[in-house]
Amino acid sequence: LELGGYLFLGNCLQVIGLKTVPADRAAFLVQLTTIMVPLLDAALKQDLRAISRQTWLACILAFIGVVVMGYDGKEVSGAGDAFASIVDTFTN
């Protein structure tokens, strides 16, 4: 039941985010999970060196790729961006 509640909340926030934010920007915000998971892991272990260099390199390359694909010259801010970012917490 708890997992279903998280999934429902995540889907609701994703729909709100996609309604108010362009799809490329929403994809950028959702893909930040690639960076946040190793950072959270390192924070919980209290050691940045606990994460391998390969993982950090993969995270950096993924982040650069999403930035290049999502760059449209517009400022990134607003409620829709916040909803799309919060989706990461509940769906991944």
Side-chain angles (χ1 to χ4, degrees):
L1 188 61
E2 181 180 359
L3 184 58
Y6 290 138
L7 184 59
F8 174 76
L9 184 58
N11 284 335
C12 288
L13 292 173
Q14 189 171 20
V15 168
I16 292 169
L18 286 173
K19 233 178 150 181
T20 57
V21 175
D24 59 340
R25 191 174 300 164
F28 170 77
L29 295 170
V30 170
Q31 288 305 317
L32 286 178
T33 305
T34 306
I35 305 298
M36 293 189 318
V37 168
L39 286 176
L40 181 62
D41 187 32
L44 291 174
K45 292 178 180 176
Q46 296 180 347
D47 183 18
L48 283 176
R49 286 175 265 147
I51 310 303
S52 71
R53 288 184 187 174
Q54 279 185 313
T55 301
W56 286 119
L57 180 62
C59 290
I60 291 167
L61 289 174
F63 183 72
I64 290 170
V66 172
V67 168
V68 168
M69 288 175 36
Y71 180 72
D72 60 1
K74 296 179 184 174
E75 187 177 324
V76 178
S77 64
D81 292 339
F83 283 124
S85 295
I86 293 170
V87 150
D88 293 339
T89 305
F90 292 103
T91 59
N92 292 318

